[in-house]
Amino acid sequence: MPKISESEILTILIFYHYSGYKCFEYYYKALVLNDLKTYFPTAPSYNYFIELIERVALPMAILAKLTCQQAEKTGIYYIDAKALPVCDMLRAKQHKVFAQTASKGKSSMGWFFGFKLHLIVNHKGQIVDFALTTGQVADNSKDLLNKLLEKISGTLFGDKGYLTTLWNNFLKRTKNNYQSQKEYENRLMSLEERLLLKKRPMIEAINDILTSVLT
């Protein structure tokens, strides 16, 4: 049994994103096992620590969800999805690490093999909720939207991929308002609506930071 606790593992993983290091292996060996040794006296070798990360997957997910619950319910939200490829499409059949969980999917950038990160943020940039799915799950999946939108109400902005009959029926049932860029282009907009629509790229920037800088 490892001597290091789950809370210590979580702390090491979270602090990595605040440390300024770009390589986790170097961060662990240079900082955790040296400068921070007094804080983590039972920290194991790097290879063993990597094996232990799987044990805190559920606590990490719960912590992330609890953090999202602290976001303000402003009534103005943005939704978007980001592809998380795990390998090149040409190597999908040879991929082993996520062979049983990743799947083939399609995004605005084309086909990929991996997962999708679905985000909802408020107009202040705070993450309200998220979901991690396989690549084949559509952005406007009924089950996915039921989970993401059950606790929010107000106006939701997204791209035209969310504008389907299924989506419209869902929103009528939950009394939410949905505005897509396509809908806005087909009618006159108020100044407030124009300003809100112009902020939609904010969620794309947040997705990029989460999947490129914080990984």
Side-chain angles (χ1 to χ4, degrees):
M1 292 293 293
K3 295 182 180 180
I4 189 170
S5 66
E6 289 189 355
S7 61
E8 289 177 307
I9 297 175
L10 285 170
T11 301
I12 291 172
L13 292 175
I14 294 172
F15 185 65
Y16 167 65
H17 299 293
Y18 295 91
S19 67
Y21 285 81
K22 300 301 180 182
C23 172
F24 185 79
E25 181 177 1
Y26 185 72
Y27 154 79
Y28 189 83
K29 292 180 177 180
L31 191 63
V32 177
L33 295 182
N34 287 286
D35 296 347
L36 300 181
K37 187 65 177 179
T38 55
Y39 295 96
F40 306 102
T42 59
S45 66
Y46 170 75
N47 291 335
Y48 188 35
F49 183 84
I50 295 301
E51 295 179 10
L52 295 177
I53 292 179
E54 183 179 357
R55 301 191 178 193
V56 299
L58 180 59
M60 180 67 81
I62 294 174
L63 178 61
K65 286 288 186 178
L66 290 175
T67 303
C68 289
Q69 290 181 9
Q70 299 176 21
E72 294 182 46
K73 301 298 188 293
T74 63
I76 302 173
Y77 306 99
Y78 300 86
I79 186 171
D80 196 21
K82 177 77 172 181
L84 301 176
V86 296
C87 70
D88 188 272
M89 278 295 297
L90 298 177
R91 298 179 54 201
K93 293 184 179 181
Q94 289 77 40
H95 187 79
K96 296 182 179 180
V97 178
F98 298 105
Q100 304 302 318
T101 51
S103 67
K104 181 180 178 182
K106 190 175 183 180
S107 69
S108 58
M109 303 300 292
W111 291 97
F112 69 96
F113 180 78
F115 303 90
K116 274 186 180 180
L117 175 63
H118 306 264
L119 278 188
I120 292 182
V121 303
N122 61 26
H123 71 290
K124 295 184 177 181
Q126 300 171 333
I127 300 177
V128 176
D129 206 352
F130 71 93
L132 182 65
T133 68
T134 57
Q136 65 183 3
V137 175
D139 297 351
N140 55 15
S141 163
K142 179 180 179 181
D143 292 336
L144 174 66
L145 295 178
N146 271 317
K147 293 179 180 179
L148 287 176
L149 304 180
E150 63 180 352
K151 295 181 181 179
I152 68 171
S153 62
T155 301
L156 186 66
F157 295 84
D159 60 31
K160 62 182 180 180
Y162 293 97
L163 190 59
T164 65
T165 302
L166 172 64
W167 175 253
N168 291 334
N169 290 339
F170 172 80
L171 291 169
K172 288 178 181 177
R173 189 173 72 253
T174 57
K175 297 182 180 179
N176 282 302
N177 295 320
Y178 170 73
Q179 304 293 349
S180 74
Q181 187 153 353
K182 183 177 180 181
E183 284 180 321
Y184 272 133
E185 291 171 351
N186 292 333
R187 68 176 179 81
L188 294 176
M189 293 184 287
S190 67
L191 178 59
E192 181 181 6
E193 290 171 338
R194 288 179 182 274
L195 293 175
L196 290 174
L197 182 60
K198 287 183 178 295
K199 292 189 68 174
R200 197 179 70 80
M202 172 184 61
I203 191 173
E204 298 175 357
I206 294 173
N207 254 327
D208 287 338
I209 292 173
L210 290 176
T211 56
S212 58
V213 179
L214 299 181
T215 55

